[in-house]
């Protein structure tokens, strides 16, 4: 094979990227870090200026309620933080027998899960929050965790969901916010705990959490997990996990603390390509509207049907090493340095399903479903060093809680192109099985193997950033917080493709099968800021207003810049970054002796610079989406024995500037089929609700239960009535799911726990793909029985 090299495209944004800005950023970073530390240390040295350190009591052991998030970038307790932040503690998701991030996120409203296309997200945490894709904004201990994989919670202390743009917190990101998993750390308390659980669909899982002190100031903690399981309501599908996490703590309880943390995870099993949507409510196919089967209603397929191959697989290996050093420079002044290297590889072959073919329309036993073999060979890497300084001091007659830091981050993603090898017409090779019987698929069908084709996309981004945030307390009632962050990044993408066309443009003919190389580069700067004001009418409550921004540049999700400068591609390096903003007005209250936390907020989130099409057919990055809503929350204890976690969100979403290919959006011409200006945002239900509560009796018996509600969602944002009426499935959702649990202590160390999921055996669509051709059914009535132990 020959390898042809196309001219490299090196794009530097002249609007913002320049040496002067870079120099000023670097100098200001060093000066602010140094001055903050010096100022705070001087304040402590002078006893006349020493301000009492504000101490917040930890939440009651076993309580659902958290007082703060784990990140040092947040200096205030949740009640005084001017932003919607939901914290899901392990005590809550363990009571629910929730073992994955996706399951833990059921405890906050406004989140839905996507199915995706081509298998790219079907095995991962495909999160859609407040109307925007959030899959690329998942973090572990404040560091981005890339890859479309499922994350287990066996080593998670709590899950933190920050809603609204967070450019100051993390740099590039979605307009919706982000999700952070806070890991378990070694501590100075000897303890052993774990669980062994069995369940329907051949579910078996075991976990072990051991913490041991090694001396007065050191400890080690080890978490182990192994799971082998099918999927309730699905034939053949398997989800198997195993993992080990270790944390070594040195200098605990001293001024200098070091944590060395290792995480190693493996996932295997048979992935799920989904179920055809034929026969679902709202299903459309022209053959039933105007064709040979006009007026008839097709029968649904059995939702347990498996349309793939038992040779399909999803193998994931993830390894992570983190070293964190903390130094107390003075009272109220702490310097932290965190380094991490992480690597995740996903090797997957999945059989996807597509269109239905009505071979003999009158005989439904002849109907078939087309299938495609989809491969994925992806490796993600991250290498980062982050330095953070927090300082509390008095200056100018007011109290400051200052956070500043610098971050250096290298991230990469390598994707090999996968496909079925070309089979010549005169070859004796086995013909791949493409179609399956719609109502009676076979797992014995023979498929061609999926291999690397020689193509690949290799992208990387190097970023260094500076940030600073200050919370100014004027008195006991008024606080003002302000933060800024500046990122400078360089993204490089190398692409190799295989020439597929029979003919090629002049001046030369490129033989079919030739490997062609292209690349693109982008150097630019991002800037984010946030501003919040807090009024505290009493010590246990606050009313706040805030505004925050974020930016997401081309290639920001996976470092895959478009190498052809296609105008309608959001990863075109010539485009400006997408810009997210969020305006929020809310109130938070700790009530009932600080045991119950109540929140309410109205918000408006906007994402600008998305791709849109003008009436003349040109594509420009002027698109805008907007979500307005109200979110309510309650978490904590209603009584000493009754705990609750609840959330309710109302969202009104709209594409305020989108495709306008013709002036009349109601025309039936092909050009109008993609019009979406004024349409609803996909996968964004207007109403979502979540509730979990449990009651502990004097005998130790715990009874718990909960409910989840998801309102109707649309699979398309287009507004053309004709195009909408011919979607395979336009709307889905509008369902309730009820769960229950009971646990009983055998003795002080051992308890038995039973979880019954989907009590009413609700039949619902959990997620749908973009075209509406296939879906994942929600899990039916199922159960898990486990033995928990703690010493």
């Amino acid at each position: 094979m020959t390898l042809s090299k196309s001219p490299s495209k090196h794009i530097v944004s002249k609007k913002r990227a320049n040496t002067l800005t870079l120099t000023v950023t670097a100098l200001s970073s060093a000066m602010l870090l140094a001055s903050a530390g010096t100022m705070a240390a001087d304040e402590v040295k002078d006893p006349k200026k020493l301000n009492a350190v504000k101490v917040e009591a930890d939440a009651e052991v076993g309580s659902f309620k958290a007082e703060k998030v784990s990140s040092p970038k947040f200096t205030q307790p949740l009640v005084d933080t001017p932003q919607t932040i939901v914290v899901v503690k392990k005590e809550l998701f363990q009571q629910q027998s929730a073992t994955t991030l996706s399951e833990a996120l059921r405890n906050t409203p406004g989140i839905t899960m996507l199915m995706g296309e081509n298998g790219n997200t079907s095995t991962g945490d495909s999160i859609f929050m407040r109307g925007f894709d959030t899959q690329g904004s998942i973090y572990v201990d404040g560091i981005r965790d890339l890859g479309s994989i499922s994350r287990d919670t066996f080593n998670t202390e709590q899950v933190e969901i920050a809603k609204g743009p967070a450019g100051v917190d993390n740099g590039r990101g979605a307009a919706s916010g982000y999700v952070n998993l806070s890991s378990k750390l070694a501590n100075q308390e000897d303890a052993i705990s774990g669980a062994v659980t069995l369940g329907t669909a051949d579910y078996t899982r075991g976990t072990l959490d051991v913490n041991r002190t090694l001396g007065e100031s050191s400890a080690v903690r080890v978490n182990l997990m192994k799971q082998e399981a099918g999927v309730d309501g699905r034939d053949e599908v398997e989800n198997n996990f195993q993992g080990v996490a270790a944390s070594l703590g040195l200098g605990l309880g001293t001024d200098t603390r070091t944590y060395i943390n290792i995480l190693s995870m493996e996932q295997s099993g048979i992935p799920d390509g989904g179920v055809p949507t034929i026969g679902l409510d709202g299903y459309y196919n022209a053959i039933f509207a105007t064709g040979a089967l006009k007026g008839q209603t097709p029968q649904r397929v059995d939702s347990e049907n498996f349309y793939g191959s038992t040779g399909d697989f999803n193998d994931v290996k993830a390894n992570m090493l983190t070293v964190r050093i903390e130094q107390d420079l003075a009272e109220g002044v702490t310097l932290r340095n965190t380094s991490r290297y992480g690597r995740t590889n996903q090797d997957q072959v999945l059989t996807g399903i597509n269109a239905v073919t009505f071979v003999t329309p009158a005989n439904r036993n002849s109907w078939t479903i087309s299938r495609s073999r989809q491969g994925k060979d992806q490796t993600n890497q991250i290498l980062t060093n982050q330095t953070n300084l927090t300082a509390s001091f008095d200056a100018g007659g007011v109290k400051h809680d200052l956070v500043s830091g610098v971050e250096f981050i290298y991230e990469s993603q390598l994707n090999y192109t996968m496909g079925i090898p070309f089979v010549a017409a005169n070859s004796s090779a086995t013909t791949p099985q493409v179609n399956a019987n719609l109502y009676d698929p076979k797992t014995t069908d023979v498929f061609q193997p999926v291999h690397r084709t020689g193509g690949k996309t290799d992208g990387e981004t190097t970023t260094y950033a500076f940030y600073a945030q200050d919370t100014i307390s004027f008195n006991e009632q008024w606080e003002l917080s302000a933060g800024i962050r500046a990122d400078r990044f360089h993204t490089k993408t190398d692409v190799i493709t295989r020439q597929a066309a029979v003919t090629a443009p002049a001046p030369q003919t490129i033989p079919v099968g030739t490997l062609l190389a292209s690349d693109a580069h982008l150097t630019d700067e991002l800037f984010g800021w946030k501003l919040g004001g807090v009024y505290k009418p009493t010590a246990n409550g606050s009313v706040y207003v805030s505004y925050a921004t974020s930016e997401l540049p081309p290639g920001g999700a996976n470092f895959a810049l478009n190498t052809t400068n296609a105008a309608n591609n959001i990863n075109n390096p010539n485009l400006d970054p997408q810009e997210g903003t969020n305006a929020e007005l809310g109130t938070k209250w700790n009530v009932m002796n600080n045991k119950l936390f109540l929140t309410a907020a109205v918000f408006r989130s906007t994402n600008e610079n998305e791709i849109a099409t003008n009436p003349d057919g040109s594509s420009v990055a002027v698109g805008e989406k907007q979500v307005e809503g109200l979110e309510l929350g309650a978490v904590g204890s209603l009584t000493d024995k009754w705990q609750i976690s609840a959330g309710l969100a109302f969202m009104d979403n709209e594409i305020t500037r989108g495709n306008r290919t013709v002036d009349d959006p109601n025309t039936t011409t092909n050009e109008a089929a993609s019009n979406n200006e004024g349409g609803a945002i996909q996968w964004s239900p207007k109403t979502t609700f979540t509730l979990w509560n449990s009651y502990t009796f004097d005998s130790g018996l715990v009874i718990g239960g909960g409910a989840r509600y998801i309102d109707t969602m649309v699979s398309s944002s287009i507004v053309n009535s004709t195009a909408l009426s011919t979607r395979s499935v336009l709307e889905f959702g509008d369902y309730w799911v009820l769960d229950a649990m009971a646990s009983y202590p055998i003795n002080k160390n051992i308890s038995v726990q039973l979880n019954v999921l989907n009590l009413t055996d609700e039949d619902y669509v959990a997620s749908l793909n973009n075209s509406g051709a296939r879906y994942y059914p929600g899990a039916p009535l199922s159960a898990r029985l486990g033995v928990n132990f703690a010493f």
Side-chain angles (χ1 to χ4, degrees):
M1 294 288 180
T2 58
L3 181 65
S4 299
K5 182 74 172 178
S6 62
S8 174
K9 292 175 284 296
H10 184 72
I11 298 108
V12 179
S13 173
K14 296 181 180 180
K15 297 188 289 290
R16 294 185 291 179
N18 56 73
T19 305
L20 177 60
T21 306
L22 174 61
T23 305
V24 172
T25 300
L27 289 175
S28 61
S29 302
M31 292 173 62
L32 186 53
L33 280 170
S35 62
T38 302
M39 180 184 298
D42 289 343
E43 294 289 344
V44 172
K45 289 177 182 177
D46 186 351
K48 295 180 181 179
K49 297 181 179 180
L50 180 61
N51 189 64
V53 178
K54 185 178 181 180
V55 178
E56 294 291 337
D58 290 335
E60 181 182 349
V61 176
S63 171
F64 296 166
K65 180 175 179 285
E67 299 297 333
K68 294 185 67 175
V69 296
S70 58
S71 172
K73 295 177 182 178
F74 290 86
T75 60
Q76 305 304 305
L78 288 172
V79 70
D80 296 334
T81 300
Q83 182 181 358
T84 298
I85 299 179
V86 178
V87 178
V88 183
K89 295 178 62 179
K90 69 178 186 298
E91 288 80 4
L92 174 56
F93 57 74
Q94 286 176 354
Q95 199 173 95
Q96 298 169 329
S97 193
T99 60
T100 66
L101 174 61
S102 296
E103 292 173 343
L105 290 176
R106 294 171 180 170
N107 291 289
T108 183
I111 291 182
T112 53
M113 300 295 167
L114 306 186
M115 187 175 182
E117 295 293 337
N118 301 323
N120 289 335
T121 60
S122 63
T123 57
D125 298 315
S126 48
I127 302 167
F128 212 71
M129 182 165 70
R130 279 193 177 180
F132 305 103
D133 188 351
T134 316
Q135 183 174 339
S137 296
I138 299 175
Y139 295 77
V140 176
D141 301 320
I143 298 174
R144 197 183 305 268
D145 190 48
L146 293 173
S148 56
I149 61 174
S150 295
R151 294 160 180 85
D152 197 280
T153 57
F154 83 102
N155 190 47
T156 302
E157 194 71 37
Q158 61 187 34
V159 177
E160 302 159 351
I161 305 100
K163 300 186 179 181
V168 175
D169 298 346
N170 306 309
R172 75 176 194 273
S176 56
Y178 63 95
V179 176
N180 181 60
L181 289 82
S182 178
S183 301
K184 297 177 181 178
L185 295 175
N187 57 68
Q188 293 176 286
E189 181 180 348
D190 289 339
I192 300 176
S193 62
V196 177
T197 307
L198 303 176
T200 51
D202 299 323
Y203 181 92
T204 60
R205 179 182 173 92
T207 59
L208 180 65
D209 183 354
V210 180
N211 190 89
R212 279 289 178 265
T213 56
L214 304 177
E216 291 185 357
S217 60
S218 59
V220 64
R221 186 172 186 175
V222 177
N223 275 269
L224 305 174
M225 178 274 298
K226 185 173 179 60
Q227 172 183 308
E228 294 184 355
V231 174
D232 286 294
R234 301 293 293 125
D235 290 341
E236 306 297 340
V237 182
E238 295 179 6
N239 284 330
N240 305 319
F241 295 84
Q242 61 181 21
V244 56
S247 174
L248 175 64
L250 305 173
L252 303 180
T254 71
D255 289 344
T256 305
R257 301 169 296 281
T258 301
Y259 295 94
I260 303 173
N261 304 322
I262 299 174
L263 173 65
S264 181
M265 280 285 303
E266 291 187 6
Q267 177 183 349
S268 62
I270 300 176
D272 194 350
V275 180
T277 55
I278 185 170
L280 293 182
D281 290 343
Y283 174 79
Y284 174 87
N285 188 293
I287 197 171
F288 299 105
T290 59
L293 300 175
K294 181 178 180 180
Q296 298 185 32
T297 301
Q299 178 181 331
R300 286 182 58 178
V301 303
D302 186 342
S303 61
E304 295 186 2
N305 281 357
F306 179 68
Y307 291 86
S309 166
T310 52
D312 290 354
F313 59 87
N314 181 41
D315 295 333
V316 177
K317 293 183 178 180
N319 295 282
M320 186 186 300
L321 170 64
T322 308
V323 178
R324 188 175 84 196
I325 302 173
E326 301 177 348
Q327 176 67 52
D328 294 335
L329 302 178
E331 187 173 356
V333 184
T334 300
L335 181 67
R336 299 173 178 85
N337 183 269
T338 302
S339 297
R340 173 178 294 172
Y341 174 72
R343 177 186 173 92
T344 301
N345 176 260
Q346 183 177 15
D347 187 11
Q348 174 185 276
V349 171
L350 177 147
T351 302
I353 55 175
N354 301 292
V356 176
T357 300
F358 304 91
V359 180
T360 305
N363 179 14
R364 72 177 185 87
N365 292 327
S366 70
W367 299 354
T368 62
I369 183 83
S370 63
R371 297 180 290 186
S372 59
R373 296 281 274 170
Q374 303 157 4
K376 184 176 185 180
D377 187 348
Q378 181 185 98
T379 299
N380 291 277
Q381 293 188 91
I382 184 169
L383 178 64
T384 184
N385 181 267
Q386 304 183 0
T387 300
N388 171 277
L389 178 69
T390 58
S392 297
F393 55 92
D394 284 347
V398 296
K399 182 177 181 294
H400 295 263
D401 290 303
L402 178 65
V403 180
S404 58
V406 291
E407 298 181 357
F408 302 90
I409 310 168
Y410 168 81
E411 302 164 280
S412 68
Q413 184 177 101
L414 172 61
N415 279 291
Y416 288 99
T417 305
M418 308 293 288
I420 297 175
F422 174 76
V423 179
N426 60 355
S427 170
S428 60
T430 303
T431 302
Q433 178 68 40
V434 177
N435 295 336
N437 186 280
L438 179 63
Y439 292 101
D440 188 23
K442 306 296 184 183
T443 59
T444 56
D445 292 338
V446 177
F447 293 89
Q448 283 280 61
V450 176
H451 297 295
R452 293 180 182 178
T453 65
K456 66 177 182 179
T457 300
D458 190 358
E460 62 180 44
T461 292
T462 302
T463 306
Y464 69 89
F466 159 74
Y467 63 87
Q469 305 177 56
D470 191 14
T471 299
I472 304 171
S473 300
F474 298 100
N475 51 44
E476 293 183 354
Q477 290 184 307
W478 292 97
E479 294 179 357
L480 176 67
S481 63
I484 60 170
R485 176 173 171 132
D487 291 66
R488 183 176 175 87
F489 69 92
H490 174 71
T491 297
K492 175 186 177 182
T493 304
D494 294 310
V495 177
I496 295 178
T497 58
R498 185 178 292 276
Q499 177 68 19
V502 176
T503 59
Q508 61 181 354
T509 299
I510 301 175
V512 173
T514 301
L515 295 178
L516 306 174
S518 61
D519 62 84
H521 303 254
L522 174 62
T523 300
D524 204 354
E525 294 175 1
L526 304 176
F527 183 78
W529 60 276
K530 64 181 179 181
L531 186 66
V534 177
Y535 170 67
K536 294 181 64 60
T538 63
N540 64 315
S542 69
V543 179
Y544 68 88
V545 61
S546 64
Y547 190 88
T549 71
S550 67
E551 294 184 314
L552 183 65
N558 54 11
F559 325 125
L561 294 171
N562 179 259
T563 60
T564 63
N565 290 338
N568 62 347
N569 191 305
I570 197 63
N571 290 319
N572 182 339
N574 292 311
L575 298 179
D576 288 335
Q578 295 182 45
E579 298 180 0
T581 61
N582 184 70
E584 189 168 310
L585 172 65
T587 184
K588 301 181 179 182
W589 292 87
N590 280 319
V591 298
M592 302 183 71
N593 265 346
N594 201 41
K595 292 185 177 181
L596 182 64
F597 186 42
L598 304 177
T599 62
V602 291
F603 61 89
R604 173 184 286 178
S605 296
T606 302
N607 198 53
E608 300 178 347
N609 292 346
E610 297 200 5
I611 294 294
T613 304
N614 285 322
D616 62 3
S618 62
S619 296
V620 288
V622 296
E624 180 183 275
K625 294 179 180 178
Q626 182 174 284
V627 180
E628 296 178 333
L630 166 68
E631 183 164 332
L632 308 174
V635 62
S637 299
L638 295 173
T639 70
D640 290 340
K641 299 179 180 181
W642 186 7
Q643 292 202 82
I644 187 173
S645 172
L648 174 64
F650 301 99
M651 298 189 300
D652 185 15
N653 58 82
E654 182 183 359
I655 297 177
T656 51
R657 172 67 173 91
N659 296 338
R660 293 184 300 166
T661 54
V662 294
D663 292 329
D664 181 9
N666 293 315
T667 181
T668 58
T669 62
N670 291 333
E671 289 78 13
S674 62
N675 283 359
N676 62 7
E677 185 167 309
I681 300 176
Q682 293 171 283
W683 328 118
S684 301
K686 288 191 174 182
T687 305
T688 52
F689 173 74
T690 178
L691 167 70
W692 183 264
N693 68 143
S694 64
Y695 189 89
T696 303
F697 294 86
D698 292 338
S699 62
L701 172 67
V702 179
I703 299 293
R708 290 176 284 119
Y709 174 72
I710 302 292
D711 203 352
T712 301
M713 293 174 276
V714 296
S715 64
S716 175
S717 299
I718 56 178
V719 296
N720 178 268
S721 57
T722 301
L724 287 175
S725 67
T726 56
R727 292 279 298 177
S728 293
V729 173
L730 175 62
E731 295 183 344
F732 70 105
D734 188 20
Y735 61 84
W736 285 89
V737 177
L738 307 179
D739 302 323
M741 67 80 64
S743 69
Y744 186 79
I746 304 301
N747 54 45
K748 66 176 183 179
N749 302 117
I750 300 175
S751 64
V752 178
Q753 178 175 325
L754 173 66
N755 287 81
V756 181
L757 311 175
N758 196 353
L759 281 168
T760 61
D761 200 22
E762 176 78 0
D763 181 15
Y764 65 99
V765 175
S767 59
L768 190 74
N769 80 321
N770 288 336
S771 69
R774 64 181 186 271
Y775 76 103
Y776 285 150
L781 174 67
S782 55
R784 295 176 184 176
L785 178 64
V787 176
N788 306 319
F789 56 89
F791 298 92

